[in-house]
Amino acid sequence: MAWYTVETTYIDDRARLADSRPRHREYLRALVEQGKVGAAGPWADDSAGFAIYQVADRAELDRLLAEDPYTVDGVAAARTVNEWQLVLGSVGAAQL
């Protein structure tokens, strides 16, 4: 299993973001339950969001991101993905 961090920058259209957000959060909630997302949430200024994924490989991550409502709805303006080596601590899931 590999760990990835994903920062998703949102488009400027706040109405589209607000419309898509419930479906996006439900999608992430299911991934939390499956153990594929350890933590997720928007930045305090709501300009972007951040998530930590634990998946088999980059191909699985890319598939999950392609199926994310933010991608499907065109809300994700850009994504920054980094493979992450978790060395200390743990990643727990809070309720979304």
Side-chain angles (χ1 to χ4, degrees):
M1 298 296 276
W3 290 94
Y4 292 91
T5 64
V6 178
E7 180 181 25
T8 301
T9 304
Y10 310 140
I11 61 172
D12 290 333
D13 186 334
R14 306 310 286 178
R16 280 179 59 196
L17 175 62
D19 181 59
S20 185
R21 182 163 272 162
R23 289 185 302 284
H24 167 74
R25 287 189 174 169
E26 187 59 36
Y27 179 74
L28 288 183
R29 189 174 289 112
L31 294 178
V32 167
E33 291 171 3
Q34 295 170 33
K36 294 179 185 293
V37 170
W43 295 139
D45 68 1
D46 205 30
S47 63
F50 186 79
I52 299 171
Y53 289 78
Q54 186 181 30
V55 293
D57 53 29
R58 179 62 191 256
E60 181 180 11
L61 176 66
D62 289 343
R63 182 184 58 76
L64 294 175
L65 293 176
E67 295 171 356
D68 185 326
Y70 276 2
T71 303
V72 175
D73 296 346
V75 172
R79 284 204 168 93
T80 302
V81 175
N82 290 289
E83 189 167 0
W84 183 42
Q85 292 183 359
L86 179 59
V87 175
L88 297 172
S90 62
V91 177
Q95 290 296 328
L96 295 175

